[in-house]
Amino acid sequence: MMRNRFLQRYLVCGFFVLMLGWSAGFAARPAAASEFDDARVAFGAFDDGLYDFARQELERFVKNYPHSEMREKAYLLLVLCALEGHDCRAAAGYLAEFDQDEVIAGLGVDPAALRLHLAYCFMKAGKSDQARGILLRVTAMKKFPEAVARARYELARIYFARNDFKSAEAMAAPLLAKDRRHKNRALGIDDATLVWIAAFSRFHLKKYRAALPLIKEILAGRDRFALKGDDLQALYGIAIESAWQVRDVETIKKFLHGWMQSAGKNLDLKKFSSALALVTDLFRAQGRLPELEDSLKRAVAGQLPQAEKVSHYEALIEIARLKNDETAFKKYLEAVVPLEKKTSKRRISHLRALLRISFKHKDYPAVARYGAMLSDEDGDFWFEEKYYFPFLSSLKELGRCNELVRYVPGRLPPWQSNLPAGELKRRCYLEIAAGDCLMRLQRYYEAETLYRSVYGHCSDPELRLMQLATLSRVATKIKDGKNLEKWISSEVIKNFPLDRDGNEKLLGRYPELVLLVAEYFFRNREYSQAMPSLFWLEKLKPAVAFRDRVNFLLAESCYRSGEINDALSRYQALYRSAKEPELRYLAALRLAAYYEKQPRLNPAGRKTLLRLYRDLLKWEKSPRLRQEFKNKLKLLEAAAKPSPALQKKKKELNGKPRKQLR
């Protein structure tokens, strides 16, 4: 519409030129009749809108009358006819015949407007090179500011289409001055197009600070710029890059939020992720990384290349660490570990962190899982106690003995004499746990070796006593257990005597070791050595589970030491109330032997011996011994019966009245 309006002005202007030419030309000097007639026909045809016919007549006129005073007027009309017929090349040729601003202006036509119209013709024909030359000439015509502005606008479009951003920006910049923009609209210059050209040209020229306000304007008025979908998201990417270049963190935040809000479910994750990757380090450097958390969460929620997703998770992990949010920290670590390359330093670091957090929260299955992964991937895992200790402890808690004994002690570092106390204690704990597992798996000899190793390396008295107590249980499971018990006894005698300060308290927790020592002396017939330990055990509170055994050994020691009365009282107590059948049986045997050796038994002693024989006969399983007890019982019963004469006298006495008996 604008260009047609200019054309109408040219046509009107041409008509008046023609009228003025006739009046002025013929008034000064009369023309030949034929020249006048030809001019009247040509100019009249133009006036009637018969541009093709007028063009033919005008061409014939300028050819026949090359020196006519109406020649320039004729060429002007030829230019207008050619423009009307969209013959831009011919119009340019006609214009060249009188191409002087003064001449054109003298004909009553705006020379800048005429050239603009010719440039529009070339642009419409797709010949931007020819149009560019004409427009450049217009920009030099300072007397015609409106035409200059329109020429700059068209040149900016041409240069921008050719990716000549420097020239496009140079043409557009003056038109974007604050005092010019309202004038642009009056001239029909599309302000949106102008802002777009200037913004992107400056972006490509790396004039980010100058481009950013224009990009903000575009995003703020995106409806005016008809921005939707992919184009809008691409612009957000450019906007964020511009803000990043000038280190404008606040603007980046606004752009990211606006991008997510405007795109909704249709967010282009690829573009969004690239923008995030670009700005993450800037936020980190300024200590504002947590402000990216929502954007990073949105990015990792979708499908992304693995490397990009890992990078975003790394940022989220760092944010969780800064916020001391262990739950989120663990969540992000668990998400990123499967994405990382096995044996990579970053993956190993993440696995270590997961292992320690899981152990802290007693999530033993997770610790076992991460520990197994580290064992396979981390070459330094078995040299760093802070990682392998939680792993092995979790295996113990889970009762996974087969796995625990596979690692302990084989994968642990060699024992060192200068280990710190805490580390030494933890190492002992692990090996003890492995020993307990070996016991469960009935691998007793391996357990013995492990327990002995712990006993030899650990200096803590209580821990050493615990190992000796455990070894005493191992001794009951192996063939040569007596030798092991002998060794245990010698260690207790040598290192934990009861007469040494503090040992009574320690041994009170492991009374079975004191019993083992007593039995050791007892077997060696050193009864006087055995009795102090036995007396100590007898007085121990709470009473030991094997108190009857202690009493029996005391009774035997007293008996064999010649303290018969003390021994008898203990045998009698065992015979009456011992919970172990074997001890009651042995006490009964010892009491029966004692009564049998007495030259004369009073009735009470005889009655006790009878009861002993009957109980022994009941408890004895051996046929030979049972027969022996039967024989002894018959003899004792026979000896206990009175003679026939005494029985008769008793009978007689029993039949008489009580008075007669008196």
Side-chain angles (χ1 to χ4, degrees), residues 299-315:
V300 298
Q303 296 294 325
L304 285 176
Q306 190 164 305
E308 286 185 33
K309 188 170 269 194
V310 167
S311 176
H312 297 328
Y313 270 123
E314 284 293 332

mmCIF file with all atom_site columns, all heavy atoms in Angstrom, residues 299-315:
data_model
loop_
_atom_site.group_PDB
_atom_site.id
_atom_site.type_symbol
_atom_site.label_atom_id
_atom_site.label_alt_id
_atom_site.label_comp_id
_atom_site.label_asym_id
_atom_site.label_entity_id
_atom_site.label_seq_id
_atom_site.pdbx_PDB_ins_code
_atom_site.Cartn_x
_atom_site.Cartn_y
_atom_site.Cartn_z
_atom_site.occupancy
_atom_site.B_iso_or_equiv
_atom_site.pdbx_formal_charge
_atom_site.auth_seq_id
_atom_site.auth_comp_id
_atom_site.auth_asym_id
_atom_site.auth_atom_id
_atom_site.pdbx_PDB_model_num
ATOM 1   N N   . ALA A 1 299 ? 15.346 -30.196 33.933 1.00 0.00 ? 299 ALA A N   1
ATOM 2   C CA  . ALA A 1 299 ? 16.182 -30.735 32.856 1.00 0.00 ? 299 ALA A CA  1
ATOM 3   C C   . ALA A 1 299 ? 16.394 -32.238 33.008 1.00 0.00 ? 299 ALA A C   1
ATOM 4   O O   . ALA A 1 299 ? 16.265 -32.992 32.047 1.00 0.00 ? 299 ALA A O   1
ATOM 5   C CB  . ALA A 1 299 ? 17.529 -30.010 32.835 1.00 0.00 ? 299 ALA A CB  1
ATOM 6   N N   . VAL A 1 300 ? 16.719 -32.687 34.225 1.00 0.00 ? 300 VAL A N   1
ATOM 7   C CA  . VAL A 1 300 ? 17.032 -34.113 34.409 1.00 0.00 ? 300 VAL A CA  1
ATOM 8   C C   . VAL A 1 300 ? 15.786 -34.980 34.383 1.00 0.00 ? 300 VAL A C   1
ATOM 9   O O   . VAL A 1 300 ? 15.897 -36.216 34.305 1.00 0.00 ? 300 VAL A O   1
ATOM 10  C CB  . VAL A 1 300 ? 17.802 -34.348 35.730 1.00 0.00 ? 300 VAL A CB  1
ATOM 11  C CG1 . VAL A 1 300 ? 19.127 -33.624 35.710 1.00 0.00 ? 300 VAL A CG1 1
ATOM 12  C CG2 . VAL A 1 300 ? 16.982 -33.934 36.944 1.00 0.00 ? 300 VAL A CG2 1
ATOM 13  N N   . ALA A 1 301 ? 14.604 -34.366 34.430 1.00 0.00 ? 301 ALA A N   1
ATOM 14  C CA  . ALA A 1 301 ? 13.370 -35.155 34.423 1.00 0.00 ? 301 ALA A CA  1
ATOM 15  C C   . ALA A 1 301 ? 13.071 -35.738 33.051 1.00 0.00 ? 301 ALA A C   1
ATOM 16  O O   . ALA A 1 301 ? 12.252 -36.652 32.932 1.00 0.00 ? 301 ALA A O   1
ATOM 17  C CB  . ALA A 1 301 ? 12.198 -34.295 34.885 1.00 0.00 ? 301 ALA A CB  1
ATOM 18  N N   . GLY A 1 302 ? 13.716 -35.222 32.009 1.00 0.00 ? 302 GLY A N   1
ATOM 19  C CA  . GLY A 1 302 ? 13.432 -35.695 30.657 1.00 0.00 ? 302 GLY A CA  1
ATOM 20  C C   . GLY A 1 302 ? 14.578 -36.473 30.057 1.00 0.00 ? 302 GLY A C   1
ATOM 21  O O   . GLY A 1 302 ? 15.576 -36.793 30.700 1.00 0.00 ? 302 GLY A O   1
ATOM 22  N N   . GLN A 1 303 ? 14.422 -36.794 28.778 1.00 0.00 ? 303 GLN A N   1
ATOM 23  C CA  . GLN A 1 303 ? 15.435 -37.549 28.047 1.00 0.00 ? 303 GLN A CA  1
ATOM 24  C C   . GLN A 1 303 ? 16.513 -36.597 27.535 1.00 0.00 ? 303 GLN A C   1
ATOM 25  O O   . GLN A 1 303 ? 16.228 -35.679 26.775 1.00 0.00 ? 303 GLN A O   1
ATOM 26  C CB  . GLN A 1 303 ? 14.801 -38.279 26.862 1.00 0.00 ? 303 GLN A CB  1
ATOM 27  C CG  . GLN A 1 303 ? 13.783 -39.338 27.264 1.00 0.00 ? 303 GLN A CG  1
ATOM 28  C CD  . GLN A 1 303 ? 14.416 -40.494 28.008 1.00 0.00 ? 303 GLN A CD  1
ATOM 29  O OE1 . GLN A 1 303 ? 15.552 -40.881 27.716 1.00 0.00 ? 303 GLN A OE1 1
ATOM 30  N NE2 . GLN A 1 303 ? 13.702 -41.050 28.962 1.00 0.00 ? 303 GLN A NE2 1
ATOM 31  N N   . LEU A 1 304 ? 17.740 -36.853 27.980 1.00 0.00 ? 304 LEU A N   1
ATOM 32  C CA  . LEU A 1 304 ? 18.877 -36.035 27.570 1.00 0.00 ? 304 LEU A CA  1
ATOM 33  C C   . LEU A 1 304 ? 20.060 -36.931 27.256 1.00 0.00 ? 304 LEU A C   1
ATOM 34  O O   . LEU A 1 304 ? 20.128 -38.067 27.745 1.00 0.00 ? 304 LEU A O   1
ATOM 35  C CB  . LEU A 1 304 ? 19.278 -35.072 28.701 1.00 0.00 ? 304 LEU A CB  1
ATOM 36  C CG  . LEU A 1 304 ? 18.394 -33.850 28.960 1.00 0.00 ? 304 LEU A CG  1
ATOM 37  C CD1 . LEU A 1 304 ? 18.905 -33.105 30.173 1.00 0.00 ? 304 LEU A CD1 1
ATOM 38  C CD2 . LEU A 1 304 ? 18.374 -32.927 27.752 1.00 0.00 ? 304 LEU A CD2 1
ATOM 39  N N   . PRO A 1 305 ? 21.016 -36.441 26.475 1.00 0.00 ? 305 PRO A N   1
ATOM 40  C CA  . PRO A 1 305 ? 22.260 -37.200 26.320 1.00 0.00 ? 305 PRO A CA  1
ATOM 41  C C   . PRO A 1 305 ? 22.875 -37.472 27.692 1.00 0.00 ? 305 PRO A C   1
ATOM 42  O O   . PRO A 1 305 ? 22.791 -36.642 28.604 1.00 0.00 ? 305 PRO A O   1
ATOM 43  C CB  . PRO A 1 305 ? 23.139 -36.268 25.481 1.00 0.00 ? 305 PRO A CB  1
ATOM 44  C CG  . PRO A 1 305 ? 22.177 -35.413 24.731 1.00 0.00 ? 305 PRO A CG  1
ATOM 45  C CD  . PRO A 1 305 ? 21.009 -35.221 25.649 1.00 0.00 ? 305 PRO A CD  1
ATOM 46  N N   . GLN A 1 306 ? 23.473 -38.626 27.821 1.00 0.00 ? 306 GLN A N   1
ATOM 47  C CA  . GLN A 1 306 ? 23.961 -39.066 29.132 1.00 0.00 ? 306 GLN A CA  1
ATOM 48  C C   . GLN A 1 306 ? 24.924 -38.075 29.769 1.00 0.00 ? 306 GLN A C   1
ATOM 49  O O   . GLN A 1 306 ? 24.831 -37.771 30.958 1.00 0.00 ? 306 GLN A O   1
ATOM 50  C CB  . GLN A 1 306 ? 24.642 -40.434 28.973 1.00 0.00 ? 306 GLN A CB  1
ATOM 51  C CG  . GLN A 1 306 ? 24.975 -41.101 30.291 1.00 0.00 ? 306 GLN A CG  1
ATOM 52  C CD  . GLN A 1 306 ? 25.283 -42.568 30.099 1.00 0.00 ? 306 GLN A CD  1
ATOM 53  O OE1 . GLN A 1 306 ? 24.490 -43.313 29.534 1.00 0.00 ? 306 GLN A OE1 1
ATOM 54  N NE2 . GLN A 1 306 ? 26.430 -42.995 30.572 1.00 0.00 ? 306 GLN A NE2 1
ATOM 55  N N   . ALA A 1 307 ? 25.842 -37.542 28.976 1.00 0.00 ? 307 ALA A N   1
ATOM 56  C CA  . ALA A 1 307 ? 26.846 -36.628 29.526 1.00 0.00 ? 307 ALA A CA  1
ATOM 57  C C   . ALA A 1 307 ? 26.195 -35.363 30.087 1.00 0.00 ? 307 ALA A C   1
ATOM 58  O O   . ALA A 1 307 ? 26.593 -34.868 31.143 1.00 0.00 ? 307 ALA A O   1
ATOM 59  C CB  . ALA A 1 307 ? 27.865 -36.270 28.450 1.00 0.00 ? 307 ALA A CB  1
ATOM 60  N N   . GLU A 1 308 ? 25.190 -34.847 29.382 1.00 0.00 ? 308 GLU A N   1
ATOM 61  C CA  . GLU A 1 308 ? 24.511 -33.636 29.855 1.00 0.00 ? 308 GLU A CA  1
ATOM 62  C C   . GLU A 1 308 ? 23.749 -33.906 31.144 1.00 0.00 ? 308 GLU A C   1
ATOM 63  O O   . GLU A 1 308 ? 23.786 -33.116 32.092 1.00 0.00 ? 308 GLU A O   1
ATOM 64  C CB  . GLU A 1 308 ? 23.539 -33.130 28.784 1.00 0.00 ? 308 GLU A CB  1
ATOM 65  C CG  . GLU A 1 308 ? 24.225 -32.464 27.596 1.00 0.00 ? 308 GLU A CG  1
ATOM 66  C CD  . GLU A 1 308 ? 23.224 -31.866 26.628 1.00 0.00 ? 308 GLU A CD  1
ATOM 67  O OE1 . GLU A 1 308 ? 22.152 -31.405 27.081 1.00 0.00 ? 308 GLU A OE1 1
ATOM 68  O OE2 . GLU A 1 308 ? 23.494 -31.866 25.418 1.00 0.00 ? 308 GLU A OE2 1
ATOM 69  N N   . LYS A 1 309 ? 23.061 -35.048 31.183 1.00 0.00 ? 309 LYS A N   1
ATOM 70  C CA  . LYS A 1 309 ? 22.299 -35.374 32.388 1.00 0.00 ? 309 LYS A CA  1
ATOM 71  C C   . LYS A 1 309 ? 23.224 -35.537 33.585 1.00 0.00 ? 309 LYS A C   1
ATOM 72  O O   . LYS A 1 309 ? 22.912 -35.081 34.689 1.00 0.00 ? 309 LYS A O   1
ATOM 73  C CB  . LYS A 1 309 ? 21.486 -36.651 32.148 1.00 0.00 ? 309 LYS A CB  1
ATOM 74  C CG  . LYS A 1 309 ? 20.518 -36.955 33.271 1.00 0.00 ? 309 LYS A CG  1
ATOM 75  C CD  . LYS A 1 309 ? 19.556 -38.078 32.899 1.00 0.00 ? 309 LYS A CD  1
ATOM 76  C CE  . LYS A 1 309 ? 18.302 -37.567 32.261 1.00 0.00 ? 309 LYS A CE  1
ATOM 77  N NZ  . LYS A 1 309 ? 17.228 -38.558 32.181 1.00 0.00 ? 309 LYS A NZ  1
ATOM 78  N N   . VAL A 1 310 ? 24.371 -36.166 33.370 1.00 0.00 ? 310 VAL A N   1
ATOM 79  C CA  . VAL A 1 310 ? 25.343 -36.339 34.456 1.00 0.00 ? 310 VAL A CA  1
ATOM 80  C C   . VAL A 1 310 ? 25.806 -34.975 34.960 1.00 0.00 ? 310 VAL A C   1
ATOM 81  O O   . VAL A 1 310 ? 25.921 -34.742 36.172 1.00 0.00 ? 310 VAL A O   1
ATOM 82  C CB  . VAL A 1 310 ? 26.539 -37.182 33.980 1.00 0.00 ? 310 VAL A CB  1
ATOM 83  C CG1 . VAL A 1 310 ? 27.697 -37.099 34.978 1.00 0.00 ? 310 VAL A CG1 1
ATOM 84  C CG2 . VAL A 1 310 ? 26.128 -38.630 33.781 1.00 0.00 ? 310 VAL A CG2 1
ATOM 85  N N   . SER A 1 311 ? 26.064 -34.050 34.019 1.00 0.00 ? 311 SER A N   1
ATOM 86  C CA  . SER A 1 311 ? 26.524 -32.716 34.401 1.00 0.00 ? 311 SER A CA  1
ATOM 87  C C   . SER A 1 311 ? 25.489 -31.997 35.262 1.00 0.00 ? 311 SER A C   1
ATOM 88  O O   . SER A 1 311 ? 25.825 -31.364 36.267 1.00 0.00 ? 311 SER A O   1
ATOM 89  C CB  . SER A 1 311 ? 26.820 -31.900 33.140 1.00 0.00 ? 311 SER A CB  1
ATOM 90  O OG  . SER A 1 311 ? 27.185 -30.592 33.472 1.00 0.00 ? 311 SER A OG  1
ATOM 91  N N   . HIS A 1 312 ? 24.211 -32.119 34.891 1.00 0.00 ? 312 HIS A N   1
ATOM 92  C CA  . HIS A 1 312 ? 23.152 -31.466 35.669 1.00 0.00 ? 312 HIS A CA  1
ATOM 93  C C   . HIS A 1 312 ? 23.003 -32.122 37.043 1.00 0.00 ? 312 HIS A C   1
ATOM 94  O O   . HIS A 1 312 ? 22.781 -31.427 38.045 1.00 0.00 ? 312 HIS A O   1
ATOM 95  C CB  . HIS A 1 312 ? 21.832 -31.521 34.915 1.00 0.00 ? 312 HIS A CB  1
ATOM 96  C CG  . HIS A 1 312 ? 21.853 -30.772 33.621 1.00 0.00 ? 312 HIS A CG  1
ATOM 97  N ND1 . HIS A 1 312 ? 22.611 -29.634 33.437 1.00 0.00 ? 312 HIS A ND1 1
ATOM 98  C CD2 . HIS A 1 312 ? 21.225 -30.992 32.423 1.00 0.00 ? 312 HIS A CD2 1
ATOM 99  C CE1 . HIS A 1 312 ? 22.431 -29.180 32.202 1.00 0.00 ? 312 HIS A CE1 1
ATOM 100 N NE2 . HIS A 1 312 ? 21.603 -29.993 31.580 1.00 0.00 ? 312 HIS A NE2 1
ATOM 101 N N   . TYR A 1 313 ? 23.113 -33.443 37.082 1.00 0.00 ? 313 TYR A N   1
ATOM 102 C CA  . TYR A 1 313 ? 23.047 -34.121 38.380 1.00 0.00 ? 313 TYR A CA  1
ATOM 103 C C   . TYR A 1 313 ? 24.208 -33.700 39.283 1.00 0.00 ? 313 TYR A C   1
ATOM 104 O O   . TYR A 1 313 ? 24.046 -33.578 40.500 1.00 0.00 ? 313 TYR A O   1
ATOM 105 C CB  . TYR A 1 313 ? 23.051 -35.637 38.194 1.00 0.00 ? 313 TYR A CB  1
ATOM 106 C CG  . TYR A 1 313 ? 21.673 -36.226 38.049 1.00 0.00 ? 313 TYR A CG  1
ATOM 107 C CD1 . TYR A 1 313 ? 21.319 -36.976 36.935 1.00 0.00 ? 313 TYR A CD1 1
ATOM 108 C CD2 . TYR A 1 313 ? 20.718 -36.044 39.045 1.00 0.00 ? 313 TYR A CD2 1
ATOM 109 C CE1 . TYR A 1 313 ? 20.054 -37.525 36.802 1.00 0.00 ? 313 TYR A CE1 1
ATOM 110 C CE2 . TYR A 1 313 ? 19.441 -36.584 38.914 1.00 0.00 ? 313 TYR A CE2 1
ATOM 111 C CZ  . TYR A 1 313 ? 19.127 -37.322 37.793 1.00 0.00 ? 313 TYR A CZ  1
ATOM 112 O OH  . TYR A 1 313 ? 17.863 -37.851 37.674 1.00 0.00 ? 313 TYR A OH  1
ATOM 113 N N   . GLU A 1 314 ? 25.373 -33.483 38.685 1.00 0.00 ? 314 GLU A N   1
ATOM 114 C CA  . GLU A 1 314 ? 26.519 -33.018 39.478 1.00 0.00 ? 314 GLU A CA  1
ATOM 115 C C   . GLU A 1 314 ? 26.184 -31.682 40.149 1.00 0.00 ? 314 GLU A C   1
ATOM 116 O O   . GLU A 1 314 ? 26.513 -31.462 41.322 1.00 0.00 ? 314 GLU A O   1
ATOM 117 C CB  . GLU A 1 314 ? 27.744 -32.852 38.570 1.00 0.00 ? 314 GLU A CB  1
ATOM 118 C CG  . GLU A 1 314 ? 28.414 -34.148 38.163 1.00 0.00 ? 314 GLU A CG  1
ATOM 119 C CD  . GLU A 1 314 ? 29.049 -34.854 39.328 1.00 0.00 ? 314 GLU A CD  1
ATOM 120 O OE1 . GLU A 1 314 ? 29.456 -34.196 40.303 1.00 0.00 ? 314 GLU A OE1 1
ATOM 121 O OE2 . GLU A 1 314 ? 29.112 -36.087 39.285 1.00 0.00 ? 314 GLU A OE2 1
ATOM 122 N N   . ALA A 1 315 ? 25.554 -30.804 39.392 1.00 0.00 ? 315 ALA A N   1
ATOM 123 C CA  . ALA A 1 315 ? 25.174 -29.503 39.968 1.00 0.00 ? 315 ALA A CA  1
ATOM 124 C C   . ALA A 1 315 ? 24.138 -29.680 41.079 1.00 0.00 ? 315 ALA A C   1
ATOM 125 O O   . ALA A 1 315 ? 24.209 -29.032 42.128 1.00 0.00 ? 315 ALA A O   1
ATOM 126 C CB  . ALA A 1 315 ? 24.634 -28.589 38.875 1.00 0.00 ? 315 ALA A CB  1
#
